[in-house]
Every structure is written in C-alpha cells, then in structure tokens.
Amino acid sequence: MTTTRALSTSRFKLRWNSWDIITIIAFIFIILFMVYPLFNIFLNSFFYEGSFNFSHYKDFFTLKYYYSSLTNSLLVCGLATIFAICIGFPMAYILTRFDLPFKKIIHILIILTLLSPPFIGAYSWILILGNNGFLTNFLHSIGLNTPSIYGLHGMIWVFTVQFYPHIYLYVSGALKTMDSSLEEASESLGSNKLRKLRTVTLPLIFPTLSTGALMVFMASFADFGTPMLLGQGIKLLPILAYEQFINEMGSNPAMASTLSMILLSVSTGILFLQRYLVTRKSYSMSSMRPPKVIKLKPLQKFFAMLFVWLVLAVSLIPQITVITTSFLKTNGPVFTNQFSLDSYREVLFRVPQAIINTFSYSALAIVFMVVAGLLLSYIVVRRSSKISALLDTLIMIPYVIPGTVLGISFIVAFNKPPIEITGTWIILVIAYSIRKLPYTMRSSTAILYQIDRSVEEASISLGVPPMKTFFKTTAILMLPGVLSGAILSWVTTINELSSTIVLYTGATSTITVAIYSQVFTSSYGTAAALASILSLSTIASLIIVTIISGKKGIPI
Amino acid sequence: MTKVRIENVSKYFGEVKGVDNADLTIEDGEFFTLLGPSGCGKTTLLRTLAGFYQQEEGNVYFGDQCINDLPTYKRNIGMVFQSYSIFPHLTVFENVAYGLKARKVNKIQIKERVLEALRMVELEDYQDRQPALLSGGQQQRIALARAVVIHPGILLMDEPLSNLDAKLRLKMRADIRDLQKKLNITMIYVTHDQEEALAVSDRIAVLKKGRIQQIGKPHEIYLSPVNQFVANFIGSTNFLTAMISEDVNKGSIVTVANKEYPIVLKKPYSGPAVYSVRPEQIKIKRTSSDGPFVKGVIVEATFLGEKVEYNVQLNHTTEIIQVNEHAVHYDLLMNKGEHVELYLNPEEAVLFSKDGEEVLNIHDNYSSTVYEPV
Ligand SMILES: Nc1ncnc2c1ncn2[C@@H]1O[C@H](COP(=O)(O)OP(=O)(O)OP(=O)(O)O)[C@@H](O)[C@H]1O
Ligand SMILES: [Mg+2]
C-alpha cells in the first residue's frame, strides 16, 4: 500500500497543469493590480506628516468641509435610489403585466439609457436647463423663472433619470418569472389588488428590487462626472477625493486616500447591508406558470402608455439633445439654428488622438477581458475548490470600488518602483480591465453552467489533451455568451470617466475626458460631437449584442 | 484487443468510499458490466478506468501496461456518456472524425473510417446534419460511432441507454452488443438496469456501496447469488423466514412455511435463515393432495402476456409469495380467491444466513466460482 500511496503523490505533482498556472497568474495579477494598490491607499490614509495616526479620519469626521461631502453623497444617492424605484417599478410592472404595443423597442431604449454615461446626461441637462439652456431661456422669455439645474436637486434628477433602468431591468426580470398561482391564491383568499401587491408581490420581488436599488445607489455613489458638472461648489465624496488628489495648490494624497477608504467602506457596507436584508427575506421562486398578461380597458391603456412614453421621452432627451446639437453651428458657447458639421471637423482636428485612444484602449481591455473571462470562469465553475472560490471573490471586488478610488490607488501604487506605469496607456488598460472584468465574468459563468461537462470529457477521451479540448469545445460554446457580456463591458469602458480622469495624461486622454474638458471650457459644440460619437458607438454595440444574444437565445 | 486488470483499486471522496478495494480482471474482447443501485460506485470505477478520477490506492493495467500515470487522452479509450455529449458546434461527420483528427490520421482515411462507422450505426445519410436537430437515439448512435471509429483498446459506457425510450433501448442494446462482438472490443458497460445487464453481458460485477459483491456470468449471478443483496437486486425473488436444524437421522432440515425439507449445507449450521426462491421456480396448482406442498389462496392474479403473476397468501402465515407461470392456455389460468398449493422447490432455492451475507446450502445451480474479495 505504501508504494501505491507514494505513487499517488508523485502523480499529483505530475498533474500540475496549465489551469494551475493560469490560476497562479490570475492571482499574481489580482494581487499586483488590486490588492497592492488598495493596500497602499489604506496605509497612506494613516500617514500624517510622516507618522502613523488617525488624524485624517479625525479631520474627516470633525470638519464640516469634509464630512458634508459624505452627507451630500448619501442624500443625493439615497433620494435618487428612492425616486428611481418610484419610476422603475411602475415601468416594470406596466410593461410586464399589461398588453402594450412596442414593448421590445421600449425595452431596448431603456437599456440604451442605462448604457450612455451619466455625465453626458448631466451635460445635456445643462444644455436644456442650465443658466443658458434652451428651456430656461424659453421659459424666461414667457416670464417664468426656473430653478437652475445646478446643485443637489440637479444631481438627484440626473441620477434618477439615468439609473431607474436598473430597477426596471431587475424587477421586470423577477415579475416575469414569478409564479402566477401565488398571486391567484391571494386573490382567491379575498385580497384586493393593492393588498395583493403589498402582501404577495412585493415581498416576493424584494430581493431583486433591492439588488436593483443597490445598483442605482452604487452607480450614483461612484459617479464622478455628474457631480463635477452640476456641483458648482457643492461637493460629493468622489469629487472631494479627486480634488484633494489633483489640486494644483498642493495636493494631499494622504487625505485623498482617507476619502477613498471612506468611499470604499460605504459602498462595501451598502453591499453587505443589501445582502443581509436579502438573505433574511429570500424566497425561492420557480416559475411553474408565468403570470398572464392582462388586457387593459382603453382609458387605462391610455394612461399606462402616457406614463411609459413620458418616462421614456425624458430619459431619451439627453441623447437626442446631444445628437441634434452636434450638428448645429456654434457661436462661442451658444448654438445657432444652422446645420453644420463644424463641430465634427473641429473634433477631428483638435482631439483625434482621444478618439483613437478610447477605441484602442477599450479594445485592448476587451480582448483581455474575453480571454480572462473564458479562462477564469472555467476555473471558478469547473475546477471549483477553496482557491477558485477565493479567486471568484477577489475578481468581484471591483464591483464596489468607485472609479475615482481605483484611479487614486493606481497612482499612489504605480508612480514608484517596482511598477512605474503612471501616465502610460498601460495603466488605463489595466484599470479598465480590472474594473469591468466582473461583468464579463458574470456572463461567462452563467453560460458555462449551461454547458454539459461531459462534452469536454468526450473530447479528452477521444485523445485531445485537456487544454486543447477546452479551446476546441467549451470555449467555442461559451463564446456567444462571453461576447455579449463583453460588448456590454465594452460599452461601459468607452464611456468610462471616473478612473480615466485621475489616470490620464495629455497623450492618453480619451473621448470622455475630452468631452469633460470641452464642457468645462464651454465648447459645447465639440462636446456634443464627441458625445454623439460615443452614443452612436454605444447604439451600434447594443444592436450587435441584441443580434448575437437573440440568435443564441442568451438573455442580456 | 485489451485485457484490463484492476488491482485493489480504491477511490475515496473524503470520507465516502466511491470504490472500495475493487480487484478484477476483464478479458480481451469481453462485454463486462458494472451493475448496482444508484450511488454504488459504478460511475466512479468507470471514470477511474478512464482516468477522469485518480484512484487513491491500487493499480490499473491495460494489457501489460500500468496506466496509473497515463492521462485520459493517452489511454486510447472510447467513451459513451449518458447525456450523449455530442459536440453541438460540429456536424455529424465532424463529430465522428474528431478523434481521428486528434490522431493525425490522413484525410482520405478519415473519410473512409467515418463513413464506415456511420454505416455501422445506420446514420450514413446524416453526415452533414447539425446534431442538435437529431433525435436522442440518433445522437447516441453518433456518440457510439465517434467512440468506436478510433479503434479504442477498450470501450467504456456509462448508462448510455437511460435517456432513451423503452423500445429504442431494446434495439440499441442489441445493436451495441452486436457491434461489440463484431469489432471484438473489450467493453466495460455501466447500468443500473439488471435486465439490460443480463441481456448483454458476458460477465457482470454487482456492486454495493463501492464494494464488488459478486462477479459472474449472467446465469450464475441470477441462479446462484452470493448474498441476499444480489438475489434481491437481480430479478425478483421471494424471501421467506426459515429455520435450519440438524436431525440425526435425516441430516440437515430446513423448515419453511411449516414444511420441512432436507437440504445439503456447505458447512454445519443451525438456526434462523432466509429462504430465497424465484417466482418462476415455484410450482403452483389447484389444491388436491397433501405432500410437500404449501397451501394458500390467490389474492391477486395479473395477466402479463407471456406469463401470469400470482400473489399467494399462505395459510398459517402472513407471508405472501409471488409465483410466475407461463401462460400457455388461457383457460387453465387460475383466478383470485382460488385455493392453491405451492411447491417451494428446495432443490433450487438458496438459503442465506440470517444477516443475508452468506449462502448456506448447496443447491441445484450451485456455482463454486464465487467472487471473494481479498
Ligand atoms: N465527485 C464526487 N464528489 C464526492 N462524492 C462523489 C463524487 N462522485 C460520486 N460521489 C459519491 O460516490 C458514491 C458513488 O457514486 P457514483 O456516481 O459512482 O454512483 P453510481 O453507481 O454511478 O450511481 P448512479 O446509478 O446514480 O449513477 C456516491 O455515494 C456518491 O455520492
Ligand atoms: Mg452513475
């Protein structure tokens, strides 16, 4: 027996295969580009004039200048989340339960809203309701004075309009799979409609609703562009962190690190809070009979449609404004009524590099994410062990890292040896890859669970080594799912601002950074042209993903 | 082509013994079946042979070669899975050609061999189809062709028929058997269906909780089970409580259903025992006489086509006995409520010790080739 046992161990060593090597590389990468930078700002936040203490944290919680940024952030994001629920929930309910026309198109338009970056929304609302906006001027000319879009209420407005689709998507998903017999049971017990909603429907969809709410909160909490454009003196947490870091009048990386740590703790805390609420109240739902679609009476139908189209119109206004104005001739910061391609000419002349950068960096990051998504999801799903579970958890951490925080942590960590890449394009590509990998991972693992494992075993038994088998079978079968996930990552990558703004230098500027600086210098024409380029790329990508996923039956 | 030697192989999953000290030899060209209830370790043993699992103890030889260290893809095996596991992104032809391409066979030969294999499974007209559009039976035949086309040393099948409907299952199992004999491949076949196992196998190994209980030809296992578990799992049987006693004059006597029969024991024993007799080994007729017959009344009579199944409630005990009789003349069949007498056929009955672990008697079909785990 002892001889065979000895044999077993020697065999084990022989089987150190390519997957183990990939796992190790993944860990090295994660430790280097996520754990190490975060650990760096963590340390940094405790250093005050060369010694280790808590004075930055003390300052933060005692000085109004600092802590008000946190209260502002919580206020804005909290209210935006509540309003987003107020809009997203009825939208989802109406569109899943009632027979309205054009549901598919509405669905896609709502997703489109979600995918265009919030700061473009903020910017076009400035064009509409800013000090010199169309609507402001128009209302002014008929004697009405509107409140300005600038300030906390403006941010809440933009975040609500921008992020209610999260609620819509999650809730309509849940409503679609809810078993109608539960609701019918409640009805047969004599519950009226409202009571039914409160006692049966709501508790059942609470887990999904809260996930949607979490997404809204996280997205607005981490957003950089909107508060930057609409803040005008009122600072939210990411802005303050950014300013402490970048400030030309003496930057304070240690305070920026402290603020980053607070950003990180809040978003992590919120995540755990949501998880905690959900685990206490989750019901497993299996849809035996999906709920039936109810026919509405004409008048009811009219109001339902009015609501849906109104919401949709408001959420599409930014896109439409941006694209329309991009074709107008400008006179300084003011748009005239003449059609012209000047803005585009100007863009191509002034910032061609930014356009090239955006697409090439994003493309590189996507290639990286597709490969990493394929390989790592395989490790997580098919070679599950404690180590792969740890890998899975680590990969998901960027979900809770606001872009600004990641940017700051990268600079703090990588402006000195051993890895000195600050200011290069590499740092941007790595930042994108780390930030968006979780999304690609999610779609990759989802599809991998649907692929029969024995397909691979059949291939191996036919004489093809495991790694080659993976690329000849499973990888090919996973590709549609991974690609549709990757295209969504691509869309969010080309629209990325919050970490880019910290990490870019003149030569590595991107479209989003260019838009941001154009808006700041009131060059609204070129900003509109750049934003249109982004929007059209986003729409095109979305069409591609719909086609891919439609063909293979993969839900987006 | 290949003889398989499994030497004291154990495979653990933590505390669970998936396979516990299996030791057997499968002959070249033999159709060998691993049979047992769910969770008994059939799949585990098969996958260990395939190399998907690494055994903790013991050795496996294909021919003279010890293959412990040989990864699956070098073992030259053909494998057919329960879930077809066709490559959905390849055509039927490409599926079957897959293993040949991996072996770098030249194009002309690939074409020849694939077509031949497809002809064997009667799918030559489907070579350009997408497999997803084919029926379950057709998909499983592609899997079969794909496995045999590479001329594997051994062919491994894990419940290949369990996703097919009953009729197709009968046809496919005959086809598989024919193909195996024609190609003279060593086959290791897993099933939990005892009838299927009896029908196709040269020899069967019956497993329980990771341990091999008995290895033998189908009739040996059926007629001469080594313990109560095997008797119960293969076919259907009646277990009656019995008592064995020594009589100075008559030798050993078994008392069952208030009757005494002389028996021949393997070794001296007296005390309680289990009397196992198969439904078709019992003779049944309308009550007429005394003698070595047990009396009872029919509580249920089921006509099953080629046979009739009677459930007989014995007088004097609460036991119900199942009896099968060939249905030759329908008019001669008996009905519910009729009084009958049974001959419990002690010559063919198997007597187990009370714990069911041991055979006590030497009966008509007694076979001495009993598997004894080392
Ligand atoms: N990968 C695994 N990890 C842990 N335990 C396992 C694993 N595979 C099998 N087992 C356990 O080993 C035992 C044997 O399982 P195995 O799959 O070999 O049974 P089986 O005879 O093929 O059953 P079935 O007829 O249901 O397919 C079972 O108790 C099972 O729970
Ligand atoms: Mg099995």
Side-chain angles (χ1 to χ4, degrees), chain A residues 1 4-5 7-8 10-11 14-15 452-466 468-469 472-474 476-477, chain B residues 47 51-52 54-59 68-73 77 79 81 83 85-89 98-99 102-103 146-147 150:
Chain A
M1 267 326 125
T4 51
R5 274 195 196 283
L7 250 177
S8 302
S10 77
R11 273 173 222 153
L14 268 178
R15 296 214 169 175
D452 190 350
R453 191 175 191 150
S454 66
V455 167
E456 243 175 81
E457 290 175 344
S459 163
I460 295 174
S461 75
L462 288 168
V464 179
K468 204 169 163 197
T469 284
K472 286 184 82 168
T473 59
T474 311
I476 295 176
L477 299 175
Chain B
R47 291 174 64 85
F52 290 127
Q54 182 74 57
Q55 71 268 27
E56 266 77 31
E57 283 161 19
N59 303 301
N68 292 349
D69 292 326
L70 205 62
T72 303
Y73 65 93
I77 50 173
M79 203 157 175
F81 300 81
S83 56
S85 57
I86 294 298
F87 306 125
H89 56 300
Y98 191 92
R103 286 167 171 69
R146 186 178 68 181
I150 59 173

Coordinates of all heavy atoms in Angstrom, one line a residue, chain A residues 1 4-5 7-8 10-11 14-15 452-466 468-469 472-474 476-477, chain B residues 47 51-52 54-59 68-73 77 79 81 83 85-89 98-99 102-103 146-147 150:
Chain A
M1 N 0.8 -1.2 0.0 CA 0.0 0.0 0.0 C 0.9 1.3 0.0 O 0.5 2.2 -0.7 CB -0.9 0.1 1.3 CG -2.3 -0.5 1.1 SD -3.1 -0.4 -0.5 CE -3.4 -2.1 -0.9
T4 N 1.9 2.3 -3.4 CA 0.9 3.0 -4.2 C 0.6 4.4 -3.7 O 0.4 5.3 -4.5 CB -0.4 2.2 -4.3 OG1 -0.8 1.9 -3.0 CG2 -0.3 1.0 -5.1
R5 N 0.7 4.6 -2.4 CA 0.4 5.9 -1.9 C 1.5 6.9 -2.4 O 1.2 8.0 -2.8 CB 0.4 5.9 -0.4 CG -1.0 5.6 0.2 CD -1.1 5.9 1.6 NE -2.2 5.3 2.2 CZ -3.4 5.7 2.0 NH1 -3.7 6.7 1.3 NH2 -4.5 5.0 2.6
L7 N 3.1 6.6 -5.0 CA 2.8 6.8 -6.4 C 1.8 7.9 -6.6 O 2.0 8.8 -7.4 CB 2.3 5.5 -7.0 CG 3.2 4.8 -8.0 CD1 2.5 3.5 -8.4 CD2 3.5 5.7 -9.2
S8 N 0.8 7.8 -5.7 CA -0.3 8.8 -5.8 C 0.2 10.2 -5.7 O -0.1 11.1 -6.5 CB -1.3 8.6 -4.7 OG -1.9 7.3 -4.9
S10 N 3.2 11.3 -6.2 CA 4.1 11.7 -7.4 C 3.2 12.0 -8.6 O 3.4 12.9 -9.3 CB 5.1 10.6 -7.7 OG 4.4 9.6 -8.4
R11 N 2.1 11.2 -8.7 CA 1.1 11.5 -9.8 C 0.6 12.9 -9.6 O 0.4 13.7 -10.6 CB -0.1 10.6 -9.7 CG 0.1 9.3 -10.4 CD -1.1 8.5 -10.0 NE -0.7 7.2 -9.7 CZ -1.4 6.4 -8.9 NH1 -2.5 6.8 -8.3 NH2 -1.0 5.2 -8.7
L14 N 2.7 15.4 -11.0 CA 2.7 15.4 -12.5 C 1.6 16.2 -13.1 O 1.7 16.8 -14.1 CB 2.6 14.0 -13.0 CG 3.9 13.2 -13.2 CD1 3.5 11.8 -13.6 CD2 4.7 13.9 -14.3
R15 N 0.5 16.3 -12.3 CA -0.7 16.9 -12.9 C -0.8 18.4 -12.6 O -1.9 18.9 -12.6 CB -2.0 16.1 -12.3 CG -1.9 14.7 -12.8 CD -3.3 14.2 -13.1 NE -3.2 13.0 -13.8 CZ -4.3 12.2 -14.1 NH1 -5.5 12.6 -13.7 NH2 -4.1 11.1 -14.8
D452 N -22.9 21.3 -20.9 CA -22.7 19.9 -20.3 C -21.2 19.6 -20.2 O -20.4 19.7 -21.2 CB -23.4 18.9 -21.2 CG -23.4 17.5 -20.6 OD1 -22.8 17.4 -19.5 OD2 -24.1 16.7 -21.1
R453 N -20.8 19.2 -19.0 CA -19.4 18.9 -18.8 C -18.9 17.8 -19.6 O -17.7 17.7 -20.0 CB -19.3 18.6 -17.3 CG -17.9 18.6 -16.8 CD -17.8 18.4 -15.3 NE -16.4 18.6 -15.0 CZ -16.1 19.1 -13.8 NH1 -17.0 19.4 -12.9 NH2 -14.8 19.3 -13.5
S454 N -19.8 16.8 -19.8 CA -19.3 15.6 -20.5 C -18.9 15.8 -21.9 O -18.2 15.0 -22.5 CB -20.4 14.5 -20.4 OG -21.5 14.8 -21.1
V455 N -19.3 17.0 -22.5 CA -18.8 17.3 -23.9 C -17.3 17.3 -23.9 O -16.6 16.8 -24.8 CB -19.4 18.6 -24.3 CG1 -18.7 19.1 -25.6 CG2 -20.9 18.5 -24.6
E456 N -16.8 18.0 -22.8 CA -15.3 18.0 -22.7 C -14.7 16.7 -22.5 O -13.6 16.4 -23.0 CB -15.0 19.0 -21.6 CG -14.2 20.2 -22.0 CD -14.1 21.1 -20.8 OE1 -13.1 20.8 -20.1 OE2 -14.8 22.0 -20.7
E457 N -15.3 15.9 -21.6 CA -14.8 14.6 -21.3 C -14.8 13.7 -22.5 O -13.8 13.0 -22.7 CB -15.6 14.0 -20.1 CG -15.3 14.7 -18.9 CD -16.2 14.2 -17.7 OE1 -17.2 13.5 -18.0 OE2 -15.9 14.5 -16.6
A458 N -15.8 13.9 -23.3 CA -15.8 13.1 -24.6 C -14.6 13.5 -25.4 O -13.9 12.6 -26.0 CB -17.1 13.4 -25.3
S459 N -14.3 14.8 -25.5 CA -13.2 15.2 -26.3 C -11.9 14.6 -25.8 O -11.0 14.1 -26.5 CB -13.2 16.7 -26.4 OG -11.9 17.2 -26.8
I460 N -11.7 14.7 -24.5 CA -10.5 14.2 -23.8 C -10.4 12.7 -24.1 O -9.3 12.2 -24.5 CB -10.5 14.5 -22.3 CG1 -10.4 16.0 -22.1 CG2 -9.3 13.8 -21.7 CD1 -10.6 16.4 -20.6
S461 N -11.5 12.0 -23.9 CA -11.4 10.6 -24.1 C -11.1 10.2 -25.6 O -10.5 9.2 -25.9 CB -12.7 9.9 -23.7 OG -13.7 10.1 -24.7
L462 N -11.4 11.1 -26.5 CA -11.0 10.9 -27.9 C -9.6 11.3 -28.2 O -9.2 11.2 -29.4 CB -12.0 11.7 -28.8 CG -13.4 11.1 -28.8 CD1 -14.3 12.1 -29.5 CD2 -13.4 9.8 -29.5
G463 N -8.8 11.6 -27.2 CA -7.4 11.8 -27.4 C -6.9 13.3 -27.5 O -5.8 13.5 -27.9
V464 N -7.8 14.2 -27.1 CA -7.3 15.6 -27.2 C -7.0 16.1 -25.8 O -7.9 16.0 -24.9 CB -8.4 16.5 -27.8 CG1 -8.0 17.9 -27.8 CG2 -8.8 16.0 -29.2
P465 N -5.8 16.6 -25.5 CA -5.4 17.0 -24.2 C -6.4 18.0 -23.6 O -7.0 18.8 -24.4 CB -4.0 17.5 -24.4 CG -3.6 17.0 -25.7 CD -4.8 16.8 -26.5
P466 N -6.5 18.1 -22.3 CA -7.5 19.0 -21.7 C -7.5 20.4 -22.1 O -8.5 21.0 -22.4 CB -7.1 18.9 -20.2 CG -6.5 17.6 -20.0 CD -5.7 17.3 -21.3
K468 N -6.3 21.8 -24.9 CA -6.7 21.9 -26.3 C -8.2 21.6 -26.4 O -8.9 22.3 -27.1 CB -5.9 20.9 -27.1 CG -5.8 21.2 -28.5 CD -4.7 20.4 -29.2 CE -4.9 20.4 -30.7 NZ -4.3 19.3 -31.4
T469 N -8.6 20.7 -25.6 CA -10.1 20.3 -25.6 C -10.9 21.6 -25.2 O -11.9 21.9 -25.8 CB -10.3 19.2 -24.5 OG1 -9.9 18.0 -25.0 CG2 -11.8 19.2 -24.2
K472 N -11.2 23.8 -28.1 CA -11.9 23.2 -29.2 C -13.4 23.0 -28.9 O -14.2 22.9 -29.9 CB -11.3 21.8 -29.7 CG -9.9 22.0 -30.4 CD -9.4 20.7 -30.9 CE -10.1 20.2 -32.2 NZ -9.4 19.1 -32.8
T473 N -13.7 22.9 -27.7 CA -15.2 22.6 -27.4 C -15.8 23.8 -26.5 O -16.4 24.6 -27.0 CB -15.3 21.3 -26.6 OG1 -14.6 21.3 -25.4 CG2 -14.9 20.1 -27.5
T474 N -15.5 23.7 -25.2 CA -16.2 24.6 -24.3 C -16.0 26.1 -24.7 O -17.0 26.9 -24.7 CB -15.7 24.4 -22.9 OG1 -15.7 23.0 -22.6 CG2 -16.5 25.1 -21.9
I476 N -15.5 27.5 -27.5 CA -16.3 27.9 -28.6 C -17.8 28.0 -28.2 O -18.5 28.9 -28.6 CB -16.2 26.8 -29.8 CG1 -14.7 26.8 -30.3 CG2 -17.1 27.1 -30.9 CD1 -14.4 25.8 -31.3
L477 N -18.2 27.1 -27.4 CA -19.6 27.1 -27.0 C -19.9 28.3 -26.1 O -21.0 28.8 -26.0 CB -20.0 25.8 -26.3 CG -19.8 24.5 -27.1 CD1 -20.1 23.3 -26.3 CD2 -20.8 24.6 -28.3
Chain B
R47 N -15.0 5.9 -14.3 CA -14.2 7.1 -14.5 C -12.8 7.0 -14.1 O -11.9 7.7 -14.6 CB -14.9 8.3 -13.8 CG -16.2 8.7 -14.5 CD -17.0 9.8 -13.7 NE -16.2 11.0 -13.7 CZ -16.2 11.9 -14.6 NH1 -17.0 11.7 -15.7 NH2 -15.5 13.0 -14.5
G51 N -9.6 7.5 -16.4 CA -8.5 8.5 -15.9 C -9.1 9.8 -15.5 O -8.4 10.8 -15.3
F52 N -10.4 10.0 -15.5 CA -11.0 11.2 -15.0 C -10.9 11.3 -13.5 O -10.9 12.4 -13.0 CB -12.5 11.3 -15.4 CG -12.7 11.5 -16.9 CD1 -13.5 10.7 -17.6 CD2 -12.0 12.5 -17.6 CE1 -13.7 10.8 -19.0 CE2 -12.2 12.7 -18.9 CZ -13.0 11.9 -19.6
Q54 N -8.5 9.9 -10.2 CA -7.2 9.2 -9.9 C -7.5 8.4 -8.6 O -7.9 8.9 -7.6 CB -6.2 10.3 -9.6 CG -4.8 9.8 -9.2 CD -4.2 9.3 -10.5 OE1 -4.0 10.0 -11.4 NE2 -3.8 8.0 -10.5
Q55 N -7.2 7.1 -8.7 CA -7.5 6.2 -7.6 C -6.5 6.5 -6.5 O -5.4 6.9 -6.7 CB -7.4 4.7 -7.9 CG -6.0 4.2 -8.2 CD -5.7 4.3 -9.7 OE1 -6.2 5.1 -10.4 NE2 -4.8 3.5 -10.2
E56 N -7.0 6.4 -5.2 CA -6.1 6.6 -4.1 C -5.1 5.4 -3.9 O -4.0 5.5 -3.4 CB -6.8 6.9 -2.8 CG -7.1 8.3 -2.5 CD -8.2 8.9 -3.3 OE1 -9.1 8.2 -3.7 OE2 -8.1 10.1 -3.6
E57 N -5.7 4.2 -4.2 CA -4.9 3.0 -4.0 C -5.1 2.1 -5.1 O -6.1 2.1 -5.8 CB -5.4 2.3 -2.7 CG -4.9 2.9 -1.4 CD -5.7 2.5 -0.2 OE1 -6.4 1.5 -0.3 OE2 -5.6 3.2 0.8
G58 N -4.1 1.2 -5.3 CA -4.2 0.2 -6.4 C -3.7 0.6 -7.7 O -3.3 1.8 -7.9
N59 N -3.7 -0.3 -8.6 CA -3.2 -0.1 -10.0 C -4.2 -0.6 -11.0 O -5.0 -1.5 -10.8 CB -1.9 -0.9 -10.1 CG -0.9 -0.5 -9.1 OD1 -0.5 0.7 -8.9 ND2 -0.5 -1.5 -8.2
N68 N -1.6 3.9 -14.5 CA -1.9 4.8 -13.4 C -1.5 6.2 -13.7 O -2.2 7.2 -13.4 CB -1.1 4.4 -12.1 CG -1.6 3.1 -11.5 OD1 -2.6 2.7 -11.9 ND2 -0.8 2.6 -10.6
D69 N -0.4 6.4 -14.4 CA 0.2 7.7 -14.7 C -0.2 8.3 -16.0 O 0.2 9.4 -16.4 CB 1.7 7.7 -14.6 CG 2.1 7.5 -13.1 OD1 1.4 7.9 -12.2 OD2 3.1 6.8 -12.9
L70 N -1.0 7.5 -16.8 CA -1.3 7.9 -18.1 C -2.5 8.8 -18.1 O -3.6 8.3 -17.6 CB -1.6 6.6 -19.0 CG -1.4 6.7 -20.5 CD1 0.1 7.0 -20.8 CD2 -1.8 5.4 -21.1
P71 N -2.4 10.0 -18.6 CA -3.6 10.8 -18.6 C -4.7 10.3 -19.6 O -4.3 9.5 -20.5 CB -3.1 12.2 -19.1 CG -1.8 11.9 -19.8 CD -1.3 10.7 -19.2
T72 N -5.9 10.7 -19.4 CA -7.0 10.1 -20.1 C -6.8 10.1 -21.6 O -7.0 9.2 -22.3 CB -8.3 10.9 -19.8 OG1 -8.5 10.9 -18.4 CG2 -9.5 10.4 -20.6
Y73 N -6.3 11.3 -22.1 CA -6.2 11.4 -23.6 C -5.2 10.5 -24.2 O -5.1 10.4 -25.4 CB -6.0 12.9 -23.9 CG -4.7 13.5 -23.5 CD1 -3.6 13.5 -24.4 CD2 -4.5 14.1 -22.3 CE1 -2.4 14.1 -24.0 CE2 -3.4 14.7 -21.9 CZ -2.3 14.6 -22.7 OH -1.1 15.2 -22.4
I77 N -9.1 5.1 -25.2 CA -10.3 4.6 -24.9 C -11.4 5.2 -25.7 O -11.3 6.3 -26.2 CB -10.7 4.8 -23.4 CG1 -10.5 6.3 -23.0 CG2 -9.8 3.9 -22.5 CD1 -11.0 6.7 -21.7
M79 N -15.4 6.3 -25.3 CA -16.3 6.5 -24.2 C -17.7 7.0 -24.6 O -17.8 7.9 -25.5 CB -15.7 7.5 -23.2 CG -16.3 7.3 -21.8 SD -15.2 8.0 -20.5 CE -16.2 7.7 -19.1
F81 N -21.3 8.5 -23.1 CA -21.9 9.0 -21.9 C -23.4 8.9 -21.9 O -24.0 8.9 -23.0 CB -21.5 10.5 -21.7 CG -20.0 10.7 -21.7 CD1 -19.3 10.7 -22.8 CD2 -19.4 10.9 -20.4 CE1 -17.9 10.9 -22.7 CE2 -18.1 11.1 -20.3 CZ -17.3 11.1 -21.5
S83 N -25.4 11.4 -21.3 CA -26.0 12.6 -21.9 C -25.5 12.8 -23.3 O -25.0 13.9 -23.5 CB -25.8 13.7 -21.0 OG -24.4 13.9 -20.8
S85 N -23.6 13.9 -25.1 CA -22.3 14.7 -25.2 C -21.7 14.8 -26.6 O -20.6 14.6 -26.8 CB -21.3 14.2 -24.2 OG -21.0 12.9 -24.4
I86 N -22.6 15.0 -27.5 CA -22.2 15.3 -28.9 C -21.7 16.8 -28.9 O -22.1 17.6 -28.1 CB -23.5 15.2 -29.8 CG1 -24.0 13.8 -29.8 CG2 -23.2 15.8 -31.2 CD1 -23.0 12.8 -30.4
F87 N -20.7 17.0 -29.8 CA -20.2 18.4 -29.9 C -21.3 19.2 -30.7 O -21.4 19.0 -31.9 CB -18.9 18.4 -30.6 CG -17.9 17.5 -30.0 CD1 -17.2 16.6 -30.7 CD2 -17.6 17.7 -28.6 CE1 -16.2 15.8 -30.1 CE2 -16.6 16.9 -28.0 CZ -16.0 15.9 -28.7
P88 N -22.0 20.1 -30.1 CA -23.1 20.7 -30.8 C -22.7 21.7 -31.9 O -23.5 22.0 -32.7 CB -23.8 21.5 -29.6 CG -22.8 21.7 -28.6 CD -21.8 20.6 -28.7
H89 N -21.4 22.1 -31.9 CA -21.0 23.0 -32.9 C -20.4 22.3 -34.1 O -19.9 23.0 -35.0 CB -20.0 24.0 -32.3 CG -18.8 23.4 -31.7 ND1 -18.9 22.5 -30.6 CD2 -17.5 23.4 -32.0 CE1 -17.7 22.1 -30.3 NE2 -16.8 22.6 -31.1
Y98 N -13.7 13.6 -35.2 CA -12.9 14.4 -34.1 C -11.7 13.6 -33.6 O -10.6 14.1 -33.6 CB -13.9 14.7 -33.0 CG -13.4 15.7 -32.0 CD1 -13.6 17.1 -32.1 CD2 -12.7 15.3 -30.9 CE1 -13.2 18.0 -31.2 CE2 -12.3 16.2 -29.9 CZ -12.5 17.5 -30.1 OH -12.1 18.4 -29.2
G99 N -11.9 12.4 -33.1 CA -10.8 11.6 -32.5 C -9.8 11.2 -33.6 O -8.6 11.1 -33.2
A102 N -7.5 14.1 -34.1 CA -6.6 14.3 -33.0 C -5.4 13.3 -33.1 O -4.3 13.5 -32.7 CB -7.3 14.0 -31.7
R103 N -5.7 12.2 -33.8 CA -4.7 11.2 -34.0 C -3.9 11.4 -35.3 O -3.1 10.5 -35.8 CB -5.3 9.8 -34.0 CG -5.7 9.3 -32.7 CD -6.6 8.1 -32.7 NE -6.8 7.5 -31.4 CZ -7.5 8.1 -30.4 NH1 -8.1 9.2 -30.6 NH2 -7.6 7.5 -29.3
R146 N -18.6 7.7 -32.9 CA -17.5 8.5 -32.5 C -16.5 7.8 -31.6 O -15.3 7.9 -31.7 CB -18.0 9.8 -31.8 CG -17.0 10.8 -31.5 CD -17.6 12.0 -30.9 NE -18.1 11.7 -29.6 CZ -18.7 12.6 -28.8 NH1 -18.9 13.8 -29.2 NH2 -19.1 12.3 -27.6
A147 N -17.1 6.9 -30.8 CA -16.2 6.2 -29.8 C -15.5 5.0 -30.5 O -14.3 4.7 -30.2 CB -17.0 5.7 -28.6
I150 N -12.3 5.3 -33.5 CA -10.8 5.5 -33.2 C -10.2 4.2 -32.9 O -9.0 4.1 -32.6 CB -10.6 6.5 -32.1 CG1 -11.3 6.0 -30.8 CG2 -11.1 7.9 -32.4 CD1 -11.0 6.8 -29.6

